[in-house]
Amino acid sequence: MKLIVSVKRVIDYNIKVRVKADNTGVDLANVKMALNPFCEIAVEEAIRLKEAGVASEVVVVSIGPTAVQEQLRTALALGADRAIHVETDELPEPLNVAKLLAKVIEAEQPGLVILGKQSIDSDNNQVGQMLAALAGRPQGTFASEVKVEGGKVLVTREVDGGLRTLSLDLPAIVTTDLRLNEPRYAKLPDIMKAKRKPLDVKTPADLGVELKQHITQLKVETPAQREAGIKVDSVDALIDKLKNEAKVI
Amino acid sequence: MNILLDSIEKVVGSQNVLRGEDVRSRTADWMTKEPCLAGAIVRPANTEQLSEVMALCYEANQAVVTHGGLTGLVRGGMASSDELVISLERMTQIESIDCVSGTMTVQAGAPLQSVQEAADQAEMQFNLDLGARGSCTIGGNIATNAGGIRVIRYGMMRDLVLGVEAVLADGTVVNSMNTMLKNNAGYDLKQLFIGSEGTLGIVTRAVLKLHPQLTATNTALVACEDFNSLTGLLQHARKSLGGELCAFEVMWSSYYSLLTTESNRHTPPISSDAPYYVLIESLGAEQKESHERFEKAIESAFEKGLLIDAVLASSDHQREKLWAIREDVEGLAHLLAPRFAFDISLPILEMDKYVRKLQSAVSQRWKNAKVIVFGHLGDGNLHVSVATGDASDETREAVESLVYEPLKLMGGSVSAEHGIGLKKRKYLNLSRTPAEIALMQTLKIALDPRGLLNRNKVLPDILA
Ligand SMILES: Cc1cc2nc3c(=O)[nH]c(=O)nc-3n(C[C@H](O)[C@H](O)[C@H](O)COP(=O)(O)OP(=O)(O)OC[C@H]3O[C@@H](n4cnc5c(N)ncnc54)[C@H](O)[C@@H]3O)c2cc1C
């Protein structure tokens, strides 16, 4: 069975984000970038399925400018077999991503598609679901466990107060949650081998998709600064502040 | 002491003189967590108050012990009931930052981490870094001339301090708050206070040296087959990373496997059957360029056979997990308790032989004893832990002599970065000549004639 994993290049999750002065977005100049953590988990899961003999090939896909090839190489170093880069100038909005992925799937005919449940930069949590709809395939979102058995995939989801397990017909779309696995590190010999693994570059036009913009981002702002707390020296002073400054009593 | 404390209360306020249970409920030593036995703890708010307090103590012949973050590892914070503790916990201000000159002026009680964060905010970097960053203070870092994990690139605390203000035993304030890189007007007095572990004066403020903020970190954990490859790798990393090499932290397999496979505290990123592991980190200005240089350096080391396996952190999260193995001192303490811990330096080329000899000497004497080694190899600094299963004074002394004696012949040091304090006092003569120790004593008498500051620490007793 062939697996497709889609991955996104995002700002490293530990980096403190700086908003551009004109509020048009986040400053990405010379900022450390990494695989989106949920995508990293998706790659790990795919490789484990391959190691377990369930999958025969793992194909990683990423959409965006040339720089995303860096993350594709990381995924190849982690154990994916080949990569597809769909080249676009900017990172397209979720619906466009889903349309592009749907075309890739149509061409590749995988048995299972694994994606991160959301990317930590835009927090949309939409691509997996949209893709399932466009491809007309069942979806199992927020997976905390994935098992392939008898032509089905069993997806366990952590819901409020318990676990819920779904059985989906293959091919299916699965999105990963944080606790699904602990991703491995890229090993040096594999990093070196990854440089020679196949990486195809395609354009949206090659896939027959016209990118349309449906969403306009108005502005990006940093959260309002919280004022530092103060100490008061008596209960009276506290009551006074709560009444007259905070106006909560 | 009570009359003195009453006068001190007038200077610092009664809430800032702690007595009784308030003193006993605090610890005096990070390692043993022993309670503080001092007569009282005095918490001045600024240099002026401390100067007045010390003038009063001088009058009354009152000995004092200075407390910073109490993360020191040589029992420098220990105080007896006839001593007062001066705690700098209220002197934590970051006074100013000058990005053009690259300087920051702070009060000595400021925790290291708050200084690092303030520098970050200003898009600069303060380059002392060590595991105790959250608790240790700038004053403590100066007093112990702290080292840490970036020494290979930026030097020890001494290299990161431009100016110091200190209060002497009699309350005199010595303001040596130089802010310039160059100042050869007479003696460089700040050096007296750096590394003298609070025996010559109490550091109250400092001018620190900042560097431009660099954000392109690259981290790898690698495994080496033998000691020669390890030193070859160090040379290779220095050369191929240019000036960007900023950490070269070695873990002997005993350390690595104890904290990964044997204890399950950390998932081993690479298998634990190699004899040596190194955490290598570079720090540069440009993400892409730095990353490419780093990857190339590691790849060519692999091709040359200097390393047998390696993982590269592909995110900051992975970087933190790699460092967590190296910095898990708590895990080490927990897994080996009781243990004796040492901080020694010796010529890099002697290290392997030294460790092997120590291992065999220790296991000859105590069959199931463990010798666990890691350290800042590039700095010639090893941290050695020996666990024999008991913690008696007798065993301690036997282990100490096995660890320390061979150093003398090699020109090594019984203290690489933690200092002498109380713990290593009687071994100072293994690393310093009689003439050096005599000159230290001359300085001590000149600055603290009544012997009030950190009494009985660092130096051997002065013979009258
Ligand atoms: C987890 C851990 C990791 C560590 N890693 C390292 C490391 O990598 N490298 C390293 O060098 N050290 C290391 N240390 C040791 C320790 O953190 C440093 O020695 C640190 O510099 C001590 O700072 P402090 O504020 O805690 O000082 P304290 O422990 O409070 O004091 C240490 C000594 O300095 C004196 N002193 C404190 N403040 C002043 C002052 N203002 N004026 C005069 N004297 C003063 C004290 O009297 C005492 O003798 C580590 C400690 C821990 C617990």
Side-chain angles (χ1 to χ4, degrees):
Chain A
M1 180 170 76
K2 186 195 283 184
L3 296 189
I4 287 210
V5 180
S6 82
V7 298
K8 186 174 180 187
R9 173 184 169 91
V10 297
I11 195 162
D12 190 295
Y13 132 97
N14 269 359
I15 304 297
K16 212 169 150 215
V17 169
R18 279 182 224 268
V19 170
K20 286 185 191 162
D22 61 3
N23 294 103
T24 56
V26 167
D27 190 359
L28 292 180
N30 198 27
V31 167
K32 192 176 192 98
M33 304 294 281
L35 265 180
N36 176 42
F38 294 104
C39 301
E40 204 183 2
I41 291 168
V43 172
E44 176 66 35
E45 197 62 19
I47 296 161
R48 289 187 189 186
L49 287 170
K50 190 180 169 196
E51 285 168 347
V54 174
S56 50
E57 189 187 21
V58 175
V59 182
V60 278
V61 185
S62 191
I63 297 164
T66 320
V68 307
Q69 291 189 9
E70 213 181 291
Q71 277 60 47
L72 286 172
R73 291 286 173 205
T74 303
L76 292 171
L78 291 171
D81 298 291
R82 65 187 168 88
I84 299 173
H85 171 204
V86 181
E87 192 161 18
T88 59
D89 294 340
E90 312 238 330
L91 291 175
E93 57 182 65
L95 183 57
N96 286 327
V97 172
K99 283 182 178 169
L100 291 166
L101 289 177
K103 289 294 183 185
V104 172
I105 287 168
E106 200 179 300
E108 295 281 341
Q109 296 291 318
L112 184 64
V113 181
I114 310 181
L115 308 86
K117 74 167 180 182
Q118 69 191 56
S119 60
I120 59 161
D121 53 356
S122 47
D123 269 353
N124 287 319
N125 177 10
Q126 294 174 353
V127 171
Q129 295 87 329
M130 288 175 167
L131 175 62
L134 290 169
R137 297 306 314 167
Q139 58 177 302
T141 54
F142 303 4
S144 63
E145 198 184 341
V146 174
K147 266 195 242 155
V148 178
E149 271 175 21
K152 306 237 178 199
V153 58
L154 301 182
V155 175
T156 304
R157 318 176 66 232
E158 289 178 1
V159 291
D160 268 357
L163 299 174
R164 179 169 178 234
T165 303
L166 311 175
S167 166
L168 313 176
D169 287 334
L170 295 173
I173 314 290
V174 170
T175 73
T176 61
D177 213 337
L178 212 52
R179 271 188 290 274
L180 179 57
N181 59 47
E182 184 187 347
R184 68 193 69 193
Y185 297 82
K187 291 203 168 200
L188 182 67
D190 300 329
I191 293 173
M192 293 163 79
K193 268 184 236 149
K195 293 187 176 149
R196 292 186 299 271
K197 287 186 178 174
L199 188 158
D200 286 339
V201 183
K202 291 194 166 15
T203 61
D206 294 341
L207 297 170
V209 176
E210 195 193 331
L211 300 185
K212 283 190 210 135
Q213 192 181 338
H214 308 88
I215 300 172
T216 311
Q217 178 170 290
L218 298 180
K219 62 178 170 185
V220 175
E221 290 171 303
T222 37
Q225 284 273 341
R226 258 193 79 210
E227 273 186 47
I230 53 158
K231 277 190 188 160
V232 289
D233 41 23
S234 68
V235 175
D236 288 344
L238 176 66
I239 292 174
D240 176 63
K241 296 256 182 230
L242 290 176
K243 225 181 221 154
N244 300 319
E245 275 179 36
K247 299 196 194 316
V248 289
I249 54 172
Chain B
M1 189 185 274
N2 276 331
I3 302 172
L4 172 65
L5 289 179
D6 290 345
S7 332
I8 291 179
E9 279 191 353
K10 293 204 183 84
V11 179
V12 298
S14 58
Q15 73 278 24
N16 292 311
V17 177
L18 310 183
R19 311 186 201 211
E21 203 31 48
D22 289 343
V23 175
R24 239 51 86 213
S25 61
R26 294 185 170 210
T27 57
D29 188 67
W30 184 84
M31 199 77 103
T32 60
K33 315 278 186 257
E34 284 157 87
C36 182
L37 299 178
I41 297 179
V42 179
R43 307 186 295 177
N46 52 43
T47 309
E48 294 69 38
Q49 286 189 2
L50 179 60
S51 163
E52 283 185 53
V53 170
M54 285 315 298
L56 290 167
C57 289
Y58 190 75
E59 277 294 293
N61 242 325
Q62 174 61 53
V64 304
V65 174
T66 307
H67 278 185
L70 280 182
T71 65
L73 299 173
V74 291
R75 306 176 65 71
M78 297 300 292
S80 47
S81 58
D82 61 347
E83 289 176 303
L84 283 187
V85 160
I86 303 288
S87 168
L88 295 192
E89 65 198 65
R90 293 172 67 219
M91 296 179 54
T92 58
Q93 256 181 47
I94 290 172
E95 297 177 0
S96 62
I97 296 183
D98 173 350
C99 295
V100 176
S101 315
T103 59
M104 183 192 300
T105 305
V106 301
Q107 280 186 306
L112 173 58
Q113 191 167 350
S114 73
V115 166
Q116 293 173 335
E117 284 168 3
D120 273 355
Q121 282 281 323
E123 294 186 30
M124 299 292 282
Q125 204 159 290
F126 180 61
N127 279 308
L128 185 81
D129 197 18
L130 42 94
R133 62 183 75 78
S135 315
C136 68
T137 63
I138 291 300
N141 298 148
I142 291 176
T144 59
N145 185 25
I149 53 187
R150 285 193 172 168
V151 173
I152 199 171
R153 170 102 170 248
Y154 294 102
M156 298 184 78
M157 191 61 172
R158 194 182 296 287
D159 301 292
L160 298 169
V161 175
L162 289 172
V164 158
E165 177 190 81
V167 171
L168 302 185
D170 64 1
T172 306
V173 178
V174 179
N175 183 318
S176 209
M177 293 289 276
N178 168 67
T179 58
M180 296 153 305
L181 217 47
K182 295 181 166 178
N183 185 349
N184 281 352
Y187 297 171
D188 188 1
L189 292 174
K190 68 170 180 283
Q191 303 296 357
L192 287 175
F193 304 104
I194 305 177
S196 56
E197 299 180 56
T199 57
L200 299 182
I202 301 176
V203 178
T204 46
R205 292 164 71 224
V207 182
L208 305 174
K209 193 195 284 181
L210 303 182
H211 290 92
Q213 187 175 50
L214 300 177
T215 56
T217 39
N218 295 282
T219 314
L221 178 74
V222 315
C224 293
E225 202 167 26
D226 51 44
F227 194 76
N228 277 342
S229 338
L230 200 61
T231 53
L233 182 62
L234 173 63
Q235 283 175 291
H236 173 85
R238 279 192 187 128
K239 192 163 168 199
S240 54
L241 294 173
E244 295 198 352
L245 176 64
C246 81
F248 194 89
E249 298 287 306
V250 175
M251 294 166 266
W252 262 247
S253 66
S254 55
Y255 178 93
Y256 183 76
S257 46
L258 179 71
L259 286 160
T260 57
T261 39
E262 284 173 40
S263 63
N264 272 328
R265 283 182 72 91
H266 304 267
T267 316
I270 35 183
S271 74
S272 58
D273 46 16
Y276 308 96
Y277 295 83
V278 194
L279 194 63
I280 305 180
E281 189 159 280
S282 78
L283 182 60
E286 291 293 326
Q287 299 289 344
K288 194 160 185 281
E289 222 172 75
S290 253
H291 179 74
E292 282 167 5
R293 181 177 301 131
F294 187 76
E295 206 171 278
K296 212 167 122 204
I298 302 288
E299 278 176 22
S300 55
F302 182 64
E303 279 156 0
K304 285 185 186 173
L306 296 173
L307 54 92
I308 47 177
D309 202 356
V311 291
L312 272 66
S314 58
S315 63
D316 210 53
H317 176 63
Q318 286 196 339
R319 168 183 183 265
E320 283 180 352
K321 286 202 296 183
L322 293 179
W323 272 105
I325 302 175
R326 162 58 186 83
E327 291 195 324
D328 194 2
V329 188
E330 306 221 351
L332 189 68
H334 168 72
L335 294 166
L336 291 181
R339 69 168 176 146
F340 306 112
F342 303 94
D343 155 52
I344 55 173
S345 66
L346 63 161
I348 298 175
L349 290 174
E350 307 270 4
M351 282 180 174
D352 195 43
K353 210 164 64 197
Y354 170 85
V355 171
R356 282 172 200 278
K357 278 196 177 156
L358 179 65
Q359 266 160 344
S360 83
V362 167
S363 60
Q364 245 173 39
R365 193 125 175 211
W366 300 275
K367 230 174 100 228
N368 297 318
K370 283 190 173 146
V371 176
I372 307 280
V373 183
F374 68 101
H376 319 286
L377 185 101
D379 315 340
N381 180 187
L382 293 183
H383 294 306
V384 178
S385 294
V386 180
T388 60
D390 89 291
S392 68
D393 286 345
E394 197 191 330
T395 312
R396 170 190 303 279
E397 294 205 357
V399 172
E400 281 176 347
S401 69
L402 289 179
V403 171
Y404 290 143
E405 294 290 348
L407 293 174
K408 187 169 178 173
L409 281 176
M410 302 173 186
S413 172
V414 298
S415 171
E417 55 177 16
H418 295 164
I420 295 292
L422 266 187
K423 204 171 163 188
K424 302 186 180 175
R425 201 171 160 225
K426 68 174 184 197
Y427 297 103
L428 183 64
N429 65 350
L430 289 177
S431 301
R432 297 291 187 194
T433 61
E436 284 177 301
I437 294 174
L439 180 54
M440 289 184 199
Q441 285 175 326
T442 305
L443 287 170
K444 171 75 180 171
I445 294 168
L447 272 87
D448 180 16
R450 296 189 177 173
L452 301 181
L453 302 174
N454 279 4
R455 212 173 50 177
N456 302 333
K457 289 177 189 143
V458 185
L459 300 179
D461 290 333
I462 296 173
L463 300 173

